[in-house]
Amino acid sequence: MPSTAAASAREILTGLHSVMAKRTNAQAKLNKVVALIGEAMESEVCSIYLLRDGVLELFATRGLNQEAVHVTRLALGEGLVGTIADKVAILNLAEAAAHPDFAYRPETGEELFHSFAGVPIVRRERAIGVLCVQHGEPRGYADIEIEALQTVAMVLSELLAGAKLVDAGKGLAAQRDTGTIRLNGQKLVAGMARGAAVFHQPRVTIEHSIAEDTEAERARVYSAFRRMRAQIDTMTRDAEFGTPGELQEVLATYKMFAYDEGWSRRINEAIDSGLTAEAAIERVQQRTRMRMREIDDPLLAERMHDLDDLANRLQRIVSGQIGTAAQGGLKRDTILVARNLGPAELLEYDRRRLKGVVLEEGSLTAHVIIVARAMGVPVLGRVKDVRLCIGEGDPMLLDVDEGVLFVRPGNSIEAGFEAKLALGQKRRAALAGMRDLPPVTKDGARITVMVNAGLRDDVEALAATGADGIGLFRTEFQFLVSATLPRRESQQRLYKSVLDAAGGKPVIFRTVDIGGDKALPYLVEEQREENPAMGWRALRLSLDRSALMKSQARALIEAAAGRTLRVMFPMVSEPWEYDEARALFEGQRAWLVEHRHAAPARIEYGAMLEVPALAESLDMLLPRLDFLSIGTNDLTQFLFAADRAHPRLAERYDWLSPAILRFLSRVVIACDAAGIPVGVCGEMGGRTLEAMALIGIGIERLSITPAAVAPLKAMIRSLDRTAIRGEMARLLETPPADMRASLLAWAEGEKVVLG
Ligand code: PEP
Ligand code: MG
């Protein structure tokens, strides 16, 4: 049975429906609305204040002096009404005048009334007005009455935004558009971008708030719940493969909420009050968001975000607006907004239109960030509550270098951004001049600077940057962008085209590193992993799935026919794994030769050092290697036991810590003694100060993101290798309290160009 609140809200909604349908002017409509609400709630007063030019103006009232309409104005935060709008909070007071924020306005005649209840009229998470009622006698309002007010406020917000209340609508639109906000975040992929906000999981626009047929709306919600629960169950079942621990946690919470009776009941009650399914979900969600604002506990606040995500999903199912923004296609220059993204999801977007990404989570070495870097898309991460502060389509300026995002920027911010962009272009042009200059230190040491790649188009970076080759070709990217396992022929085509485009410069192909945070939907295993980064991934998976590896080996060997094939294996933990992988390749080569197929002139084999244990077996492994490549992204996550994709740990440990540098230094000494070339291909090498330290411990081969080549060359050309080697030896002997600060001070003293 519908509750009384539902009944009274319903009565009001039915009335609202007919008021709004009438062909009268906006003021007349608002006057009708306050009369309607006042009557239904038996209140002496009902008033609507709307935000105009940043001030709350009394637009309509029943019960207060009519002369006060359009005269009484309150700033945000001023008086009870201003407080409600400012805090986007509800006030329920038996004695309004006793409240510390009460501001008496004689023109209204409100001294006659004791009790007061007001709710914000919310749009895009901000108050655009206030709806309040007052009674003569002192009384607290029951929850159900507040509920009814909120429901009405929500419908009012939809109506005010529409064209029907033209003058109010105009004022509100202008207000919305001038409110610039500045959000801070963590620099994940450097760069600047301009574009319109697009939600990766688009928010649903509610077209009809008031239901024509309540039972039909109820049926829609039931069926959406069923579908959503089935989806969550499947996601949970599939999550065992290559997903970070955090996602598992989120899924567990999703599941808890998806089956939460309280949530579905509240939505049902909102439907009882006369709302459509979409509006009912939104209504309940607004209430949750209000509570979110008051919660101090970060853990609980995070759970509320999960519920918000889920409500969004339910909303999309119910309205049939399913799929990510990638499926809909980007229509203009876009800055994508998401809680987090997987690498494959990012790759689905049109690279020409995707100008930037803003994440609520994210961390520097997560694969999605590596993919974004490869795509040349700037990413700002860890932007708190970003999805609550902006609206779909909002114009935005992203300046990752400064760690800021401007939403709905004003003219002066625009101008500053333009100027900086122009400056950046100048600098880039200056750096482009670096293309033909070799990375040689001041004392004549030639450092090898290669690029990391993963997509066919990345190869163009070779010519653009003048890099020495591709030091890491992440072959799994092709697997990530495919809906099914790529066939051998298509793998071969890609590898051949990469070799052709590289035009004789060396390319080091890494065999697939699937698993960890690079999950493949079509390669799902039965078992769910607790720690996928340390789980069945990379070479471990390839050796167990030898058919997959054989087909990749064949594709690589055939693609490199007549040329030198360079191949390396990821996540080698013990020498036998390398031996097996190499033997598998050799087996394929032998088979091809036996069957008179063209084979590479030579195959060079390398291992990636990403698992600390391998460093202790180097004496056994090095004699069988052609080269060693240190993957610092994984290596450092294992050295510090700190998940590389964990947003909370993103800035906790420094690559320039004595532990990492000493570890790497010992590896370099071992490689030098064995005469085996060693390089670094993790993100660490792409930062000028870190690269300087690496050169200081004897690393002379770096493979980095293309955007870092020019700054790195500039750094190398201003560096004296002998001097940095001496300095690093000294610093590692007796490490300073702050290694980064010491290196920075040294670089400044030596005039090393750090960019
Ligand atoms: C690394 O771990 O440092 C590396 C280069 O490989 P990936 O980032 O692809 O795991
Ligand atoms: Mg790795």
Side-chain angles (χ1 to χ4, degrees):
M1 279 293 288
S3 63
T4 31
S8 72
R10 194 166 181 164
E11 184 189 323
I12 300 168
L13 288 188
T14 316
L16 271 182
H17 200 31
S18 57
V19 170
M20 290 305 155
K22 288 213 168 72
R23 296 183 142 268
T24 50
N25 70 25
Q27 187 62 54
K29 280 180 182 167
L30 281 184
N31 294 346
K32 278 258 164 48
V33 170
V34 288
L36 192 79
I37 298 167
E39 227 162 79
M41 295 196 61
E42 293 167 4
S43 67
E44 279 86 352
V45 178
C46 175
S47 313
I48 293 174
Y49 291 80
L50 295 179
L51 201 56
R52 176 144 72 177
D53 302 329
V55 177
L56 289 153
E57 184 175 312
L58 179 63
F59 259 68
T61 185
R62 151 187 149 130
L64 295 184
N65 293 338
Q66 288 307 313
E67 295 79 64
V69 172
H70 298 300
V71 171
T72 297
R73 305 182 88 212
L74 292 154
L76 278 176
E78 187 190 0
L80 300 179
V81 168
T83 304
I84 291 170
D86 190 37
K87 300 212 169 103
V88 200
I90 300 161
L91 279 183
N92 176 356
L93 308 168
E95 197 55 77
H99 193 277
D101 291 331
F102 180 75
Y104 174 58
R105 287 303 167 87
E107 74 272 12
T108 60
E110 64 188 332
E111 66 273 20
L112 300 170
F113 310 104
H114 286 273
S115 54
F116 173 99
V119 298
I121 302 171
V122 181
R123 182 139 188 90
R124 294 181 174 185
E125 308 314 318
R126 275 171 295 158
I128 55 165
V130 171
L131 168 68
C132 56
V133 289
Q134 292 171 272
H135 277 79
E137 83 274 20
R139 68 191 283 270
Y141 292 87
D143 286 352
I144 50 171
E145 291 174 299
I146 301 288
E147 261 304 297
L149 275 179
Q150 283 184 288
T151 302
V152 173
M154 189 187 125
V155 176
L156 266 179
S157 134
E158 297 294 331
L159 298 170
L160 289 169
K164 298 211 177 88
L165 280 175
V166 179
D167 33 13
K170 255 192 215 150
L172 294 167
Q175 164 66 26
R176 218 171 46 223
D177 291 341
T178 52
T180 299
I181 47 174
R182 177 198 162 107
L183 298 168
N184 296 309
Q186 191 196 343
K187 176 172 158 179
L188 293 180
V189 179
M192 297 173 76
R194 172 201 303 278
V198 169
F199 284 94
H200 171 59
Q201 308 271 8
R203 287 204 181 270
V204 170
T205 34
I206 300 174
E207 273 156 26
H208 302 288
S209 302
I210 303 172
E212 303 279 343
D213 176 350
T214 294
E215 284 319 307
E217 297 302 319
R218 204 188 309 285
R220 290 176 67 217
V221 161
Y222 279 150
S223 111
F225 257 103
R226 267 197 305 278
R227 275 189 63 189
M228 181 186 66
R229 286 173 182 161
Q231 283 179 1
I232 303 295
D233 290 345
T234 316
M235 277 160 73
T236 316
R237 235 177 291 120
D238 291 351
E240 109 288 353
F241 190 79
T243 42
E246 213 185 355
L247 180 59
Q248 322 264 12
E249 239 176 69
V250 170
L251 281 176
T253 316
Y254 275 9
K255 194 158 181 166
M256 187 182 85
F257 285 130
Y259 284 93
D260 178 32
E261 290 300 326
W263 187 33
S264 48
R265 195 194 58 240
R266 283 190 291 279
I267 294 175
N268 236 317
E269 284 169 1
I271 288 182
D272 283 339
S273 72
L275 294 175
T276 57
E278 288 90 341
I281 298 167
E282 177 59 21
R283 171 70 206 89
V284 172
Q285 216 38 34
Q286 272 187 4
R287 196 165 30 181
T288 312
R289 287 188 208 124
M290 261 191 206
R291 276 177 44 214
M292 255 155 82
R293 265 183 228 109
E294 290 155 15
I295 290 173
D296 235 357
D297 177 352
L299 217 64
L300 211 59
E302 229 162 78
R303 293 291 81 92
M304 289 295 182
H305 275 300
D306 294 337
L307 180 55
D308 202 38
D309 276 350
L310 209 59
N312 220 347
R313 176 181 290 265
L314 189 64
Q315 195 67 284
R316 286 187 288 127
I317 295 174
V318 99
S319 61
Q321 299 173 35
I322 300 172
T324 69
Q327 270 106 59
L330 301 179
K331 316 244 169 349
R332 54 192 157 164
D333 285 359
T334 292
I335 294 181
L336 193 66
V337 180
R339 175 182 176 144
N340 216 337
L341 283 173
E345 286 177 313
L346 181 63
L347 282 164
E348 278 174 15
Y349 283 94
D350 178 350
R351 291 174 87 177
R352 287 161 307 168
R353 295 255 164 88
L354 184 65
K355 301 295 174 192
V357 175
V358 178
L359 299 177
E360 229 156 71
E361 299 180 350
S363 70
L364 203 57
T365 55
H367 278 106
V368 62
I369 300 307
I370 292 172
V371 171
R373 207 170 284 130
M375 289 166 76
V377 176
V379 184
L380 187 68
R382 323 239 337 112
V383 185
K384 208 166 164 277
D385 293 342
V386 60
R387 290 172 306 156
L388 297 184
C389 307
I390 64 183
E392 190 93 38
D394 274 351
M396 306 208 289
L397 297 177
L398 180 63
D399 184 350
V400 182
D401 305 339
E402 297 296 327
V404 294
L405 170 73
F406 295 103
V407 187
R408 300 176 296 276
N411 290 345
S412 65
I413 294 172
E414 276 274 358
F417 187 86
E418 274 305 323
K420 196 171 165 204
L421 210 58
L423 204 72
Q425 260 153 9
K426 250 197 199 151
R427 262 189 57 200
R428 267 197 302 284
L431 285 174
M434 281 278 154
R435 196 191 58 183
D436 302 321
L437 297 176
V440 178
T441 62
K442 285 202 298 192
D443 51 341
R446 175 68 162 83
I447 308 293
T448 303
V449 176
M450 313 224 270
V451 288
N452 293 344
L455 303 167
R456 167 63 188 79
D457 293 350
D458 293 345
V459 184
E460 272 135 43
L462 267 185
T465 59
D468 293 316
I470 296 176
L472 164 63
F473 189 90
R474 290 181 165 101
T475 58
E476 66 275 8
F477 277 18
Q478 186 188 19
F479 288 64
L480 285 169
V481 292
S482 309
T484 54
L485 200 69
R487 301 174 61 86
R488 196 181 80 222
E489 294 73 21
S490 80
Q491 292 183 49
Q492 190 205 324
R493 261 198 309 280
L494 171 68
Y495 305 149
K496 184 167 180 310
S497 75
V498 169
L499 285 169
D500 291 345
K505 286 187 176 176
V507 178
I508 301 175
F509 290 98
R510 172 177 77 181
T511 58
V512 285
D513 180 357
I514 304 167
D517 58 348
K518 288 180 278 196
L520 293 184
Y522 49 85
L523 253 185
V524 172
E525 283 292 313
E526 297 308 313
Q527 213 187 337
R528 187 181 152 217
E529 289 190 323
E530 284 286 330
N531 297 300
M534 295 195 288
W536 191 58
R537 61 172 277 207
L539 189 58
R540 299 166 183 178
L541 181 148
S542 299
L543 288 175
D544 292 354
R545 287 279 179 97
S546 60
L548 183 126
M549 195 173 192
K550 274 183 190 151
S551 115
Q552 184 170 35
R554 271 279 292 281
L556 282 166
I557 292 170
E558 286 175 348
R563 302 184 260 206
T564 299
L565 171 65
R566 293 174 181 85
V567 60
M568 68 178 176
F569 308 115
M571 292 279 290
V572 177
S573 308
E574 291 201 313
W576 66 265
E577 291 172 324
Y578 167 80
D579 294 338
E580 265 195 23
R582 183 183 171 132
L584 185 144
F585 266 73
E586 284 298 310
Q588 292 303 306
R589 172 170 41 190
W591 189 90
L592 284 170
V593 171
E594 199 181 308
H595 290 81
R596 302 188 191 290
H597 289 274
R602 177 180 151 71
I603 305 184
E604 289 182 10
Y605 293 99
M608 285 188 75
L609 178 73
E610 305 185 270
V611 178
L614 192 68
E616 296 300 325
S617 316
L618 281 181
D619 53 335
M620 296 181 265
L621 179 67
L622 286 171
R624 306 203 283 278
L625 285 186
D626 293 308
F627 61 92
L628 185 77
S629 187
I630 308 176
T632 46
N633 302 336
D634 275 311
L635 181 66
T636 52
Q637 83 163 337
F638 297 130
L639 275 177
F640 272 121
D643 185 345
R644 66 192 262 184
H646 199 306
R648 290 237 176 96
L649 301 179
E651 290 201 308
R652 195 178 184 101
Y653 305 108
D654 194 343
W655 277 320
L656 292 177
S657 76
I660 290 176
L661 293 171
R662 280 178 169 167
F663 187 96
L664 294 177
S665 165
R666 284 195 292 122
V667 172
V668 175
I669 291 168
C671 291
D672 286 351
I676 298 300
V678 56
V680 163
C681 65
E683 303 307 300
M684 177 181 179
R687 306 198 143 193
T688 48
L689 191 66
E690 279 81 345
M692 182 190 86
L694 289 172
I695 293 171
I697 58 167
I699 293 280
E700 312 226 319
R701 289 159 66 108
L702 294 164
S703 188
I704 55 177
T705 183
V709 172
L712 220 61
K713 278 190 182 179
M715 185 278 288
I716 291 167
R717 293 174 63 83
S718 64
L719 179 71
D720 185 305
R721 183 183 59 158
T722 318
I724 186 63
R725 289 196 74 150
E727 178 64 9
M728 279 311 295
R730 200 177 62 73
L731 289 173
L732 289 187
E733 182 68 32
T734 37
D738 187 341
M739 182 70 91
R740 177 171 292 276
S742 299
L743 280 168
L744 205 55
W746 184 86
E748 274 167 15
E750 296 285 316
K751 303 213 168 13
V752 179
V753 177
L754 294 177

